[in-house]
């Protein structure tokens, strides 16, 4: 018997709830009622309305954690949201396809009560025209999850960083030309950034991590996902300046993904002195596929924040996800990244771990735009990546699966050695973010659409295999839904921007 998508039982609301307040827009249409995501400009607010909205939120007991041109993110106890909206915060369980291709119930939050909208995850504020809506953050899914600076030797086929990844993505040739992404700021929202000796040994520039959730440490990464995947940025752009934003709570859940995104967006804009920056995200929500109806009101709010980042000149990268159907990579102007597997004989095929599809919401949007290097099912154990010793990934990847969903052996590493074998489109996104950094260092005035054009026009076509069985899109000659334009070729993209973009 099929499990219900949204059973009506839940847990008590958490002590701290993370959300977003949409201030009154100059265009007059609330973000929750957006009919498209082509531009965020009509939904921007003015300083007076922003201040009034913030005053209401603070008076209700909420703390402001980050601001944008459309509104601001907040956190506080459920009682503060009740004070602001007149409703109450309740939980419900929703069936989701989550990390490592598992399907399970995930606790979601909603604002309910008299006068509150039927749309899940959003609330209205009566008695003021300064606030259009309140949207609650939902848990996001990582597109996958002092130790030795040298990785361990394991028997199974895998790629090492930086050398193997740089070579297969055409970055080694770009490095030989002096193109290393020097000084380009790459912001990464994830579970955290642990000061692993791997980064110091290679001389990589890692700025102090920003932890956006109260009570979380900027030097801890309980999962290891952010630490490991960030190594992919440097494999392609060893001269980049990484700015990590920890969005995980103390249990490792990505409960503040959009809080961190908005903070990173604001910081990118404030520090931009030589052209666009890069903001890479290896996470996303999970929706039913094919979707039932248009994007939700909650989707509209956060999609417009993503679109606004693109309009600020930031190259926004999102993973296509690993079998999940997510809102984030479908936002127009986003550089979405899928997966290509390169085997022992250097043969290329679509990764059956990666998502890919033509957007059912927006004509002309195909996810992914291009692809990076991703392993194959069942576990995509493909890249040897540095992680905090004893973190969740260090332990889980070293073990054989015992739940029956993904029968397999462990990755051959120890549970506390600070190394794990994993990948997913979580790895591919920062690889392509590194490619964007290389291009921006060479041509700082490139706009996001020019970065996308360069990597798509020069990608290596992949014609073998199919993507995740949930979508089962075949690779074929030319652009397709399995791998987009194909595997990124950094050196060819660099030549493209130097020779063909004025």
């Amino acid at each position: 018997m099929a499990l219900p998508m949204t059973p009506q039982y839940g847990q008590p609301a958490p002590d701290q709830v993370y959300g977003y307040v949409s201030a009154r827009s100059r265009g007059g249409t609330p973000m929750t009622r957006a009919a498209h995501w082509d531009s965020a400009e009509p939904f921007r607010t003015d300083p007076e309305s922003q201040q009034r909205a913030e005053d209401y939120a603070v008076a209700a007991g909420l703390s402001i954690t980050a601001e944008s041109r459309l509104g601001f993110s907040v956190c506080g106890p459920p009682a503060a949201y009740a004070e602001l909206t007149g409703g109450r915060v309740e939980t419900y369980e929703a069936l989701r396809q989550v990390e490592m291709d598992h399907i399970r119930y995930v606790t979601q939050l909603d604002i309910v009560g008299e006068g509150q909208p039927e749309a899940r995850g959003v609330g209205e504020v009566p008695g003021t025209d300064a606030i259009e809506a309140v949207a609650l953050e939902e848990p996001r899914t990582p597109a996958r999850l002092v130790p030795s600076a040298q990785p361990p030797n394991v028997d199974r086929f895998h790629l090492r960083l930086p050398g193997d990844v740089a070579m297969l993505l055409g970055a080694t040739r770009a490095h030989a030309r002096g193109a290393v992404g020097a000084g380009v700021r790459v912001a990464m929202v994830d579970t955290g950034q642990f000061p692993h000796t791997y980064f110091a040994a290679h001389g990589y520039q890692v700025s102090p991590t920003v932890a956006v959730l109260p009570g979380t440490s900027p030097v801890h990464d309980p999962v290891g996902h952010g630490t490991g995947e960030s190594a992919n940025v440097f494999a392609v752009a060893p001269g980049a300046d990484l700015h990590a934003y920890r969005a995980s709570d103390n249990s490792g859940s990505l409960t503040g993904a959009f809080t961190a995104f908005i903070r990173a967006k604001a910081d990118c804009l404030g520090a931009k002195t030589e052209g666009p920056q890069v903001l890479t995200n290896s996470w996303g929500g999970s929706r039913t596929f094919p979707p039932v109806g248009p994007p939700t009101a909650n989707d509209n709010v956060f999609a417009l924040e993503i679109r606004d980042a693109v309009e600020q000149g930031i190259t926004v990268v999102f993973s296509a996800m690993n079998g999940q159907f997510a809102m984030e990579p479908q936002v127009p102007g986003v550089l979405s990244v899928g997966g290509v597997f390169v085997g022992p004989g250097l043969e290329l095929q679509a990764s059956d771990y990666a998502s890919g599809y033509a957007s059912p919401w927006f004509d002309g949007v195909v996810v992914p735009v291009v692809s990076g290097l991703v392993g194959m099912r069942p576990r995509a154990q493909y890249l040897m990546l540095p992680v905090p010793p004893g973190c969740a990934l260090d332990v889980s990847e070293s073990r054989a699966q015992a739940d029956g969903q993904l029968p397999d052996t462990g990755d051959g590493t120890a549970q506390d050695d600070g190394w794990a074998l994993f990948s997913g489109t979580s790895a591919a996104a920062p690889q392509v973010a590194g490619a964007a950094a290389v291009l921006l260092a060479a041509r700082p005035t490139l706009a996001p659409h020019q970065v996308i054009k360069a990597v798509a026009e020069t990608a290596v076509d992949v014609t073998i295999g199919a993507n995740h069985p949930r979508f089962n899109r075949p690779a074929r000659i030319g652009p397709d839904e399995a791998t987009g334009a194909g595997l990124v070729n950094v050196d060819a993209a660099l030549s493209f921007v130097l020779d063909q973009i004025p």
Side-chain angles (χ1 to χ4, degrees), residues 350-369:
S351 168
D352 64 358
Y353 200 71
S355 299
Y357 47 87
S359 172
W361 289 334
F362 302 102
D363 291 341
V365 173
V366 174
V367 176
V369 174

Side-chain angles (χ1 to χ4, degrees), residues 133-394:
V134 178
L136 302 182
E137 284 225 35
E138 63 179 51
R140 256 63 189 187
T141 302
R144 168 70 187 121
L145 271 173
V146 175
S148 170
Q150 295 296 321
N153 292 315
V154 297
D155 293 336
R156 64 193 308 166
F157 172 72
H158 67 279
L159 304 181
R160 292 200 174 200
L161 280 73
D164 292 345
V165 168
M167 182 269 292
L168 293 172
L169 295 180
T172 303
R173 295 188 299 273
H175 299 167
R177 300 165 64 180
V180 295
V184 174
R185 292 166 54 92
V186 178
M188 185 170 184
V189 172
D190 215 292
T191 58
Q193 183 70 27
F194 174 76
H196 197 289
T197 53
Y198 170 85
F199 300 97
H202 285 82
Y204 297 144
Q205 180 61 43
V206 181
S207 295
T209 300
V210 175
V212 300
L213 303 186
T216 58
S217 170
V219 297
H220 290 165
D221 178 2
V223 180
H225 187 268
T227 303
E229 302 299 17
S230 70
N232 288 279
V233 173
F234 293 116
V236 179
D241 182 2
L242 179 69
H243 293 254
Y245 291 79
R246 178 181 171 180
S248 65
D249 58 22
N250 286 322
S251 68
S253 298
L254 281 176
T255 55
F258 264 98
T259 296
F261 182 91
I262 294 167
R263 172 66 184 273
K265 179 173 74 166
D267 288 352
C268 282
L269 180 67
K272 184 171 63 177
T273 58
E274 297 181 352
Q277 303 296 309
V278 184
L279 176 47
T280 184
N281 308 270
S282 295
W283 47 270
S286 182
R287 300 286 184 267
T288 301
F289 183 84
V292 179
T296 67
N298 190 282
D299 286 335
N300 286 338
V301 170
F302 293 116
L304 288 167
E305 279 289 352
I306 296 172
R307 179 63 196 172
D308 182 61
V310 174
E311 292 173 355
Q312 288 181 10
I314 301 169
T315 299
V316 178
V317 182
F318 267 95
S319 62
M321 302 296 287
N322 307 324
Q324 297 88 14
F325 173 73
M327 166 273 288
E328 291 85 355
Q330 298 181 68
V331 176
V334 162
L335 178 47
S336 57
V337 186
V340 168
F341 177 76
V342 180
L346 299 184
E347 67 279 5
L348 277 63
Q349 64 178 300
S351 168
D352 64 358
Y353 200 71
S355 299
Y357 47 87
S359 172
W361 289 334
F362 302 102
D363 291 341
V365 173
V366 174
V367 176
V369 174
V370 292
S371 290
L373 296 165
V374 175
M376 301 289 281
R377 285 164 55 89
R379 298 176 68 179
Q381 292 181 323
Y382 187 44
L383 306 176
M384 186 62 73
L385 299 173
V387 296
C391 70
L393 277 172
D394 200 4

